[in-house]
Amino acid sequence: MIIAKSALTKSQMDCKMNLGADALEIQLLSELIDNDNIASAFPNLGECLNMPVYSIHTPLVQYTNSASRLDILIEVLVRSNYINLFENICKLANEFGVVQNKVVWIVVHSSLTSSCLETADKDLIESIIESLIILLEKYKNIGIALENVTPVKYFNKGEFEVCNNFLYDNVEIIKYLRKRMPKFANRLVTVLDTCHAEMSIQFIRSMNVLFDNELIDIPRLQDYFEANKDVLKFIHLSRTVLNGNGIGRHGQPFTEGTRDYIHDVLDYMHKCKEDDCDIVLEVAETDYNRSLGFDISNKLLREELDFFKE
């Protein structure tokens, strides 16, 4: 299944479906941050509920005591001042899930490392587990998909922040959550972002040089697929340009000249997953109401998928 990113607007959703998407991943913006009432935040929601929504990506939320850019972290969403926002996201996803009689995935980020499962951050993990049990029990048609992130969270003049969970921490965290929450194990998965993985590989390679090649072996993209294979549900597919940071470099659409990259990703994916893994084309656009980047990327991806069916 090929899934397109879209805002929760009928015009954008129609555009992506008309271009051949099988389903949609909704990217929430500030709607539920600015307005804590779903009906008020999305007055035209009724006309969108019959659209095939596969997943909903949590919105950008800001640290309470930080000047950093907006970020999407599950450890923020379970805080008392954000838990209502998290519940509204779950409620929204559940509405689509009920209409479609399926699970709609909620994509979340985290800056936690797997070491936090046994360290001082354990209380935070317990808070996440407590919140997830309540929300997954209450909203039967949602699931949680934890995504790998980029090692550099923010880079601007005079400001620089790094982030964990850029290697395989999300995999270990989801495996841990499944053990702690066996009732909901099939609703706890990972999503592998290829652009984030490529940026992470560059970062680790640079750090390895800085520390005289004494760090871990440099990971390859296929290593990410191998690490994720037992818990992977879908991927976010796009490409990086140069270091992948910023407009024009991050989450770029595909071109005829980058067809080989699509082929390689599909090869890794099929070798690691016995069943097909769904693909979200998470590509940037200059005009989201025309979505030319998705259009060409979708055509190239389908051609490469046909090759693997032969």
Side-chain angles (χ1 to χ4, degrees):
M1 182 183 292
I2 298 178
I3 300 136
K5 293 281 291 210
S6 173
L8 187 43
T9 64
K10 189 66 162 53
S11 59
Q12 257 195 57
M13 295 167 81
D14 281 339
C15 173
K16 293 295 173 66
M17 295 305 297
N18 290 337
L19 289 173
D22 298 315
L24 302 164
E25 177 172 292
I26 300 301
Q27 176 63 65
L28 296 178
L29 303 173
S30 64
E31 303 97 339
L32 290 174
I33 299 173
D34 299 336
N35 194 323
D36 62 4
N37 181 279
I38 292 176
S40 300
F42 302 104
N44 299 317
L45 178 61
E47 63 183 12
C48 299
L49 282 175
N50 64 341
M51 305 287 280
V53 170
Y54 178 90
S55 50
I56 293 182
H57 202 303
T58 48
L60 299 176
V61 296
Q62 189 169 23
Y63 289 105
T64 303
N65 299 312
S66 173
S68 72
R69 74 173 177 86
L70 301 179
D71 210 342
I72 312 157
L73 302 173
I74 192 169
E75 55 267 33
V76 172
L77 290 169
V78 299
R79 293 178 184 174
S80 59
N81 52 333
Y82 286 113
I83 193 65
N84 287 338
L85 169 63
F86 196 13
E87 176 153 14
N88 272 338
I89 297 165
C90 294
K91 188 182 300 184
L92 177 63
N94 197 67
E95 286 194 47
F96 282 100
V98 168
V99 170
Q100 300 176 70
N101 191 30
K102 58 176 275 191
V103 167
V104 170
W105 301 101
I106 297 172
V107 180
V108 293
H109 289 188
S110 175
S111 65
L112 298 174
T113 67
S114 55
S115 64
C116 74
L117 303 176
E118 301 297 337
T119 64
D121 287 330
K122 195 168 183 179
D123 287 345
L124 182 52
I125 285 291
E126 294 303 317
S127 177
I128 290 172
I129 290 172
E130 180 182 350
S131 297
L132 289 180
I133 288 174
I134 293 171
L135 293 169
L136 289 167
E137 186 67 60
K138 186 173 182 179
Y139 301 105
K140 311 291 188 185
N141 291 81
I142 67 166
I144 301 297
L146 186 59
E147 181 178 355
N148 59 303
V149 298
T150 62
V152 177
K153 181 171 64 175
Y154 185 70
F155 186 84
N156 201 2
K157 186 176 182 180
E159 297 176 291
F160 179 76
E161 292 187 38
V162 295
C163 190
N164 294 311
N165 181 31
F166 58 85
L167 199 54
Y168 315 130
D169 292 295
N170 64 322
V171 176
E172 296 307 315
I173 290 171
I174 285 296
K175 288 180 177 179
Y176 179 80
L177 293 178
R178 284 183 167 192
K179 289 180 181 178
R180 291 289 307 277
M181 304 161 59
K183 179 179 178 180
F184 306 110
N186 64 344
R187 292 160 63 192
L188 297 165
V189 301
T190 60
V191 51
L192 171 55
D193 188 301
T194 61
C195 179
H196 293 173
E198 294 289 0
M199 291 175 68
S200 299
I201 292 167
Q202 288 190 51
F203 179 81
I204 294 169
R205 185 180 293 118
S206 297
M207 291 299 100
N208 213 34
V209 171
L210 182 63
F211 288 93
D212 299 322
N213 300 311
E214 295 178 353
L215 299 181
I216 61 173
D217 292 336
I218 306 299
R220 304 164 301 168
L221 186 57
Q222 53 264 51
D223 296 324
Y224 276 83
F225 277 96
E226 181 65 28
N228 275 266
K229 66 179 182 180
D230 293 331
V231 289
L232 182 64
K233 178 62 182 177
F234 56 105
I235 69 172
H236 280 172
L237 178 61
S238 64
R239 65 186 180 92
T240 60
V241 172
L242 299 175
N243 64 12
N245 183 61
I247 296 173
R249 296 181 177 185
H250 189 82
Q252 293 304 288
F254 293 95
T255 63
E256 185 63 43
T258 55
R259 180 190 289 271
D260 286 348
Y261 182 82
I262 298 176
H263 185 92
D264 289 343
V265 169
L266 294 179
D267 186 41
Y268 305 148
M269 186 178 78
H270 285 289
K271 286 178 179 176
C272 290
K273 292 288 289 181
E274 293 182 2
D275 54 343
D276 285 339
C277 182
D278 296 319
I279 301 171
V280 178
L281 275 171
E282 192 177 46
V283 296
E285 304 283 358
T286 55
D287 183 350
Y288 282 89
N289 286 314
R290 296 181 64 201
S291 295
L292 299 181
F294 172 79
D295 189 20
I296 182 62
S297 300
N298 180 46
K299 290 172 181 174
L300 291 170
L301 176 55
R302 290 186 185 279
E303 289 173 6
E304 290 303 312
L305 282 169
D306 287 341
F307 172 85
F308 283 90
K309 292 177 183 177
E310 294 176 356

